[in-house]
Amino acid sequence: MKPPVPHLPASPPALSDSDRDALHDLYVRGTPENTLRAYERDLVYISAWKALRSIHGRFEAALSWPEKEDVALAFVLDHSRDLRDAPAEDPARQVAEGLIGQGLRKAATCPAPSTLDRRIASWRAFHRMKNLASPFDSPMIKQARAKGRRANATKRAPKSAHPITRRVLEAMLETCFGTMRDCRDRAILVLGFASGGRRRSELTKLMRDDVDMREFESKGLVWISLVETKTTIKGETPRLVLKGRAAQTLVHWIETAEIKDGPLFRPVSKADRVLQRGLSSDAVYQIVQRRLKLAGYPDGFASPHGLRSGFLTQAALDGAPIQAAMRLSLHRSMGQAQQYYDDVDIAENPAADLLD
């Protein structure tokens, strides 16, 4: 059995040692890796914030379980305003400067509401792990958070400056010629787009066993099994389908690289030899940037997330029903997917041409 993960709060003391270890192991196995990493970062940040707040305020340095409401309220207030113009003796500003010095905070400006929401969600999750009520559920704190969210609302920055639509993707694919590196890059780009806009982590975690080619010869279909995604859990992620050119491109990579098992996408040496280990997420970023540059696009034009936003944008441009697109993109929120459709729909809305 795996030892308890150190960044998860301790279990209720009433449990035996073996039950406590089993509960921690259950949390680890039942929680996506990205969420565990977020928990770890947030717990470090929250602990550092309270330790610094204790120096400049009336709080104890260590986290309490359950946490007191005045601590939770101070956390919300400290992160709901721009502290650059606050007096030098303001405790919130002093704590912010301390966090900046520790590399835990970038600036004294007001954090994005989504960042504060995530940290609060983590803090609440820590309370649930210990079977305790969270102070963030109190009416006063919930109201303060709602007011702060409205006061600091800003337009959400896209994860990719531009979507990688079909036109952009075609230009990138034209830079892939006949080497093994070209063959791999073509397969990554096509799979990343055509399977619904896959995230970097989803692409790099794919194994050869996750690709089912039994229907390729008869129907031209390739089935992809993702173990889990950001919005789905292990065992409940639906299979995704590739067809036509996308299926052919992936099969060509698998057969040309002679991949029988192990990671689906791998590094290629300078001698154009396929290595055995899997690709890193950063490698996918470098591949996208390189192909964009070779296709003539400027630096920073798009990130790997552009494959995801590009898939939905192209689906909207082609008139595909949003429900059909979401079955491949695996978006959990209709509102998030709808944003891409709204950008396209409003440009095509006849009411926008009234003056002309």
Side-chain angles (χ1 to χ4, degrees):
M1 180 179 294
K2 298 178 183 178
V5 175
H7 55 258
L8 293 179
S11 308
L15 294 178
S16 65
D17 290 342
S18 60
D19 287 341
R20 190 177 300 119
D21 291 347
L23 183 58
H24 275 77
D25 180 68
L26 183 62
Y27 273 117
V28 173
R29 290 187 291 109
T31 305
E33 291 182 13
N34 288 343
T35 303
L36 286 175
R37 285 193 289 268
Y39 281 166
E40 184 173 15
R41 293 193 301 268
D42 292 340
L43 185 57
V44 169
Y45 182 91
I46 293 165
S47 300
W49 171 84
K50 192 177 182 189
L52 289 168
R53 205 54 159 86
S54 70
I55 299 174
H56 304 289
R58 62 186 185 280
F59 304 137
E60 298 176 354
L63 295 177
S64 299
W65 306 103
E67 192 53 85
K68 298 179 178 62
E69 286 191 14
D70 58 343
V71 173
L73 180 60
F75 187 78
V76 170
L77 296 178
D78 282 7
H79 295 84
S80 297
R81 58 192 176 109
D82 191 329
L83 298 170
R84 290 174 297 180
D85 298 327
E89 64 275 10
D90 187 319
R93 176 174 176 174
Q94 293 175 336
V95 170
E97 291 172 347
L99 291 170
I100 293 171
Q102 294 181 31
L104 298 176
R105 183 167 174 166
K106 293 182 179 180
T109 53
C110 183
S114 59
T115 300
L116 179 54
D117 283 341
R118 193 201 70 236
R119 287 174 176 153
I120 290 175
S122 294
W123 209 340
R124 294 177 67 183
F126 298 151
H127 280 78
R128 290 196 301 271
M129 293 175 194
K130 299 175 73 66
N131 200 31
L132 297 171
S134 166
F136 291 100
D137 293 330
S138 75
M140 178 178 63
I141 297 176
K142 290 173 69 174
Q143 185 179 47
R145 179 66 203 110
K147 297 295 185 182
R149 189 182 298 109
R150 171 170 293 186
N152 299 303
T154 57
K155 181 176 176 59
R156 185 175 182 178
K159 294 181 180 179
S160 179
H162 296 88
I164 299 177
T165 56
R166 184 167 52 232
R167 177 179 59 82
V168 178
L169 180 63
E170 292 287 8
M172 296 170 71
L173 295 177
E174 287 178 1
T175 70
C176 302
F177 301 106
T179 67
M180 291 302 301
R181 188 183 304 274
D182 291 333
C183 183
R184 180 205 61 191
D185 291 0
R186 188 185 299 114
I188 288 176
L189 294 172
V190 167
L191 173 59
F193 179 92
S195 63
R198 304 273 56 88
R199 302 175 180 88
R200 284 190 289 172
S201 60
E202 295 166 2
L203 291 171
T204 55
K205 287 180 181 178
L206 280 172
M207 307 295 284
R208 173 60 184 85
D209 291 344
D210 298 328
V211 181
D212 183 351
M213 302 191 303
R214 288 176 293 181
E215 294 186 55
F216 178 68
E217 292 294 335
S218 60
K219 300 180 180 179
L221 302 180
V222 172
W223 295 91
I224 306 295
S225 298
L226 298 175
V227 176
E228 65 177 327
T229 71
K230 186 178 178 181
T231 56
T232 62
I233 62 176
K234 294 179 180 179
E236 295 188 5
T237 304
R239 290 200 307 168
L240 303 174
V241 66
L242 290 180
K243 56 198 306 186
R245 181 158 60 116
Q248 295 169 7
T249 300
L250 182 59
V251 170
H252 179 66
W253 159 248
I254 292 174
E255 293 180 345
T256 304
E258 298 182 349
I259 298 176
K260 306 298 183 183
D261 52 29
L264 179 61
F265 296 119
R266 309 175 180 194
V268 177
S269 70
K270 292 182 179 179
D272 211 36
R273 182 172 59 88
V274 179
L275 305 182
Q276 295 300 307
R277 68 178 185 273
L279 276 183
S280 67
S281 292
D282 184 64
V284 176
Y285 175 85
Q286 297 299 332
I287 288 169
V288 170
Q289 296 306 309
R290 179 170 181 266
R291 294 301 169 181
L292 283 168
K293 185 175 182 179
L294 290 173
Y297 290 94
D299 291 341
F301 178 82
S303 71
H305 196 271
L307 292 169
R308 186 164 176 79
S309 60
F311 169 80
L312 283 167
T313 301
Q314 192 65 55
L317 289 168
D318 291 352
I322 188 171
Q323 294 85 354
M326 289 177 64
R327 288 191 66 182
L328 284 177
S329 70
L330 302 180
H331 271 85
R332 183 168 51 189
S333 166
M334 174 72 78
Q336 287 184 331
Q338 186 67 49
Q339 292 175 4
Y340 302 101
Y341 275 68
D342 288 344
D343 289 343
V344 171
D345 291 344
I346 197 169
E348 302 299 326
N349 191 329
D353 299 321
L354 292 182
L355 184 59
D356 297 325

